Amino acid sequence: MFQIVRKKVLNPSVTLMEFNAPYIAAKVKAGQFIIFRVDEQGERVPLTVADSNPEKGTITLIFQVVGRSTMKLNALNEGDSILDLVGPLGIPTEIPENAKKICVVGGGVGCAIAYPQAKSLHKAGLQVDVIAGFRSKDIVILEDEFKQCCDELILCTDDGSYGQKGFVTNALQERIDNGIQYDAVIAIGPVPMMKFVCKVTEKYNIPTIVSLNPIMVDGTGMCGGCRVTVDGKIRYACVEGPDFDGHKVDFDELMHRNGTFREREADCRMMALADKA
Amino acid sequence: MPNMSKTKVAIPEQEPAVRARNFEEVSLGYTEEMAVEEATRCLNCPKKPCVSGCPVGVRIPEFIKKITERDFEGAYEIIHSTSSLPAVCGRVCPQESQCEGQCVRGKAKGAEPVGIGRLERFAADWHMQHSDAPVQKPESNGHKVAIVGGGPAGLTCAGDLAKLGYEVTIFEAFHVAGGVLMYGIPEFRLPKAIVQKEVENLKAMGVNIMTNMVVGKVFSVDELMEQGFEAVFVGSGAGLPRFMGIEGESLIGVCSANEYLTRINLMKGYKEGYDTPVLKSKAVAVCGGGNVAMDAARSALRMGAEHVYIVYRRSEDEMPARKEEVHHAKQEGVEFLTLQNPVKILGDENGRVRAAVCQKMELGEPDASGRRRPIPIEGSEYELEVDTVIMSIGTSPNPLIRTTTKGLEANKHGCLVVDENMMTTKEGVYAGGDAVTGAATVILAMGAGKSAAKSIDEYIQNKSK
């Protein structure tokens, strides 16, 4: 049993939860993820770890409340426990050797994962710019946290209600056009966003690391459900990723495979809304 | 008076048409009368070929004699003294190539051996239903051993060491212990409640089971030794699935047998109210000919598929699956397309599987495995209309332990190298089961767990001298 020691609703669809998980907290590094299961009937769901506190023995997850399992999780409160939490899974993020200036690009709730990256790079003494994009002002998250761990924060909203108007790709292109040189880019967010950031950086040969989010069941390499095609080869995101060279990833295939259970997911959402009504 | 019947007492089974649509156990088990009748077929021969055929050395004629005397608990105790998972073995062992394969009653033409497997299952089930004697917890000898992996090898090693007084901790990656017993073998062959009862018995004997612990991620094997475990047994299995690498394998509707079975068996995706989704299939092609392929095919029927095909590149005679599983699958309606191999998978306009292009084969000279090599027949390709393709073409050991443990050698298949004492190339680290042999059986894994426990005991006792 893993207890929730802190819960904070960051916006109507994004929640932060801090869990008591001392073994994971002691080992987890930026880029790694956990798999959680709320209860006996629950699915095994992967989430990247947003933060950890080895002294307290806790890890923090930030998740979008979008489907059945995240809705179940969001219904719990401080003091409640979930049945299972396993990790740290995946390989920690590795940035190219000798890289000095990095741009971390986060999209939507992907910013929750961009945050630990920015934090650890900043702590290691690298120059870090963060470009964080959201649809609109009311879903901006972690602004203060980002400000503390980067040299420059560029906030974008699609509708211009906060920060710069436009997509993260526009902001990134603009900065490169203005002569800013990045040794590497880390892009984390919805698959189309990562795909288009990579299209920008490809033109300039800037090494780009992406964090992939295929459907997973076990997370330890035994089912192959999370297989992605990188450089024409099958790779298991749970054991060889979740980070991969963005210029070699077949994003279209990933987007397609992520729709495997779309019908069932829609049914679950309808049922959850009906329950609420 | 021995029962000289040439055939086993028939065992009640669910009707094929009925059981193909439910997940309940196929075989209903012997009644007490049936068990006694079958037990009297045993001649109690002095040479006991059956015992030499058993990887864990169950004292078969002894337990069968107890059944004839109606001392069913006594029969259980004899089995349990050598096998830590009696209810499991009676159900899933390939008895025909082990104990029953050696039985003299089966040697005459048209005759069947004694139903040793059925009797073992009977005794184990009888005990579970009738006995509430508390399990004895042995006194601790002060030594700690870590077990990596809570599957058949790890559970057996843990049980045998616990009996000798060792403080054993199993580190299991999944949220529940059992390994293939939970995720691989379906509910209708091995009810999960029975597996969990066996696991509870081990806990009652003092075995500590920590789930959600992936050794190689949360702790390395070296860190376990630093924590005070004097020896480590690695029973991490062979759970890495193989894909064919053919076109179309990334279409929606293609998955490994491991994924399909894990969603159904471990996550109970077949049950109402459980969240884990399972592909909804009308026509399924399962590629492969082993026990896992049979499990996947029979599960697909139960998930509601109208047509389920086994597509296997050699002929039925070469299939590695147990004859009993093939027989049950056929009874239930699985169609066997042998001497065929998929070469490509085709998708519809939504990127979902719509057919598997299969090519026919003929058998040529034997290959390295000793079986005749399948040779494609040019121009024989045709489209098999299916919406799901399940790849069940074998698994190999997960590389996690060997890539995170210094000094641990493996062969070119990724299998850990061990000596005749089951010790790896790293001192104090032992291994057994699929992690060493590659994908094999539950009983062989148990035999390995048993041998390793003995070696670990000797190793630790010698060290303390």
Side-chain angles (χ1 to χ4, degrees), chain A:
Chain A
M1 300 298 277
F2 298 83
Q3 197 179 52
I4 301 168
V5 301
R6 185 167 70 108
K7 177 183 180 182
K8 188 169 163 201
V9 174
L10 300 183
N11 71 46
S13 66
V14 179
T15 298
L16 176 152
M17 271 185 185
E18 193 178 342
F19 289 87
N20 192 25
Y23 295 123
I24 305 175
K27 288 290 173 62
V28 68
K29 299 198 173 25
Q32 289 186 299
F33 65 101
I34 53 88
I35 283 189
F36 75 86
R37 196 173 73 126
V38 176
D39 56 27
E40 180 58 38
Q41 290 74 28
E43 281 183 283
R44 289 173 63 94
V45 181
L47 282 178
T48 309
V49 176
D51 206 351
S52 62
N53 188 325
E55 289 78 39
K56 259 174 90 182
T58 63
I59 62 166
T60 298
L61 305 176
I62 298 177
F63 59 95
Q64 194 170 3
V65 184
V66 67
R68 179 152 175 79
S69 300
T70 43
M71 285 184 204
K72 254 190 183 177
L73 184 60
N74 200 38
L76 299 177
N77 294 298
E78 284 175 19
D80 291 334
S81 295
I82 60 172
L83 207 50
D84 300 293
L85 197 55
V86 61
L89 303 175
I91 312 263
T93 304
E94 286 164 14
I95 45 146
E97 240 182 278
N98 301 325
K100 301 221 170 36
K101 193 171 171 74
I102 316 278
C103 185
V104 177
V105 185
V109 76
C111 293
I113 310 162
Y115 170 60
Q117 307 284 5
K119 197 169 151 195
S120 82
L121 292 169
H122 183 72
K123 203 164 159 206
L126 281 83
Q127 288 175 47
V128 182
D129 284 350
V130 172
I131 302 177
F134 303 90
R135 273 204 317 278
S136 67
K137 180 176 180 179
D138 31 304
I139 50 175
V140 170
I141 56 169
L142 301 176
E143 186 182 352
D144 294 329
E145 286 84 351
F146 274 123
K147 283 199 175 125
Q148 303 222 350
C149 67
C150 66
D151 297 287
E152 211 180 323
L153 171 65
I154 301 98
L155 251 170
C156 311
T157 44
D158 296 359
D159 62 2
S161 51
Y162 196 61
Q164 208 172 299
K165 180 168 173 171
F167 299 131
V168 294
T169 39
N170 306 127
L172 178 62
Q173 182 73 70
E174 209 183 293
R175 296 180 76 71
I176 297 174
D177 288 343
N178 287 342
I180 300 178
Q181 302 224 334
Y182 292 114
D183 299 315
V185 168
I186 299 179
I188 310 177
V191 182
M193 176 222 130
M194 293 192 287
K195 175 179 167 183
F196 287 111
V197 168
C198 288
K199 280 205 183 326
V200 170
T201 58
E202 211 168 33
K203 294 185 287 193
Y204 311 97
N205 275 328
I206 306 174
T208 307
I209 300 168
V210 294
S211 177
L212 302 184
N213 63 342
I215 297 174
M216 288 186 188
V217 185
D218 66 294
T220 58
M222 62 76 74
C223 82
C226 65
R227 61 191 186 282
V228 290
T229 302
V230 181
D231 204 13
K233 299 189 201 64
I234 294 179
R235 311 281 297 275
Y236 290 2
C238 67
V239 291
E240 297 173 81
D243 288 352
F244 288 101
D245 176 348
H247 296 147
K248 304 211 165 99
V249 171
D250 185 341
F251 287 105
D252 289 339
E253 179 190 273
L254 174 61
M255 268 186 270
H256 176 67
R257 282 175 57 76
N258 276 353
T260 299
F261 299 109
R262 195 152 278 152
E263 266 175 47
R264 166 116 177 219
E265 287 165 5
D267 288 345
C268 284
R269 268 198 293 278
M270 298 257 283
M271 274 167 44
L273 290 173
D275 281 345
K276 273 195 194 161

Side-chain angles (χ1 to χ4, degrees), chain B residues 3-78:
Chain B
N3 172 355
M4 292 315 288
S5 165
K6 270 188 158 185
T7 52
K8 296 178 186 177
V9 170
I11 191 163
E13 285 178 352
Q14 278 195 74
E15 282 298 314
V18 171
R19 72 185 195 231
R21 297 298 176 200
N22 70 43
F23 276 85
E24 288 150 42
E25 254 197 293
V26 169
S27 175
L28 303 170
Y30 276 158
T31 59
E32 289 180 10
E33 279 58 47
M34 291 171 179
V36 174
E37 193 187 332
E38 182 62 22
T40 51
R41 290 185 67 229
C42 172
L43 301 176
N44 217 333
C45 28
K47 280 220 171 105
K48 310 181 206 202
C50 49
V51 179
S52 56
C54 174
V56 298
V58 171
R59 302 196 313 273
I60 296 166
E62 273 182 60
F63 92 72
I64 292 183
K65 186 148 189 288
K66 290 284 181 186
I67 293 181
T68 64
E69 295 161 4
R70 298 193 80 98
D71 178 7
F72 304 129
E73 182 64 17
Y76 166 78
E77 260 154 39
I78 291 171

Side-chain angles (χ1 to χ4, degrees), chain B residues 207-267:
Chain B
V207 173
N208 182 22
I209 300 181
M210 294 185 74
T211 56
N212 294 314
M213 295 297 244
V214 183
V215 173
K217 297 307 270 190
V218 73
F219 295 129
S220 65
V221 167
D222 286 305
E223 281 170 322
L224 289 178
M225 298 189 98
E226 283 160 30
Q227 286 173 31
F229 292 102
E230 291 168 64
V232 177
F233 173 75
V234 176
S236 47
L240 193 70
R242 193 177 299 150
F243 285 92
M244 289 184 80
I246 56 176
E247 199 184 311
E249 248 174 345
S250 61
L251 289 166
I252 291 177
V254 183
C255 64
S256 69
N258 266 7
E259 182 184 344
Y260 193 68
L261 292 170
T262 297
R263 285 176 180 276
I264 295 173
N265 301 329
L266 181 71
M267 307 307 296

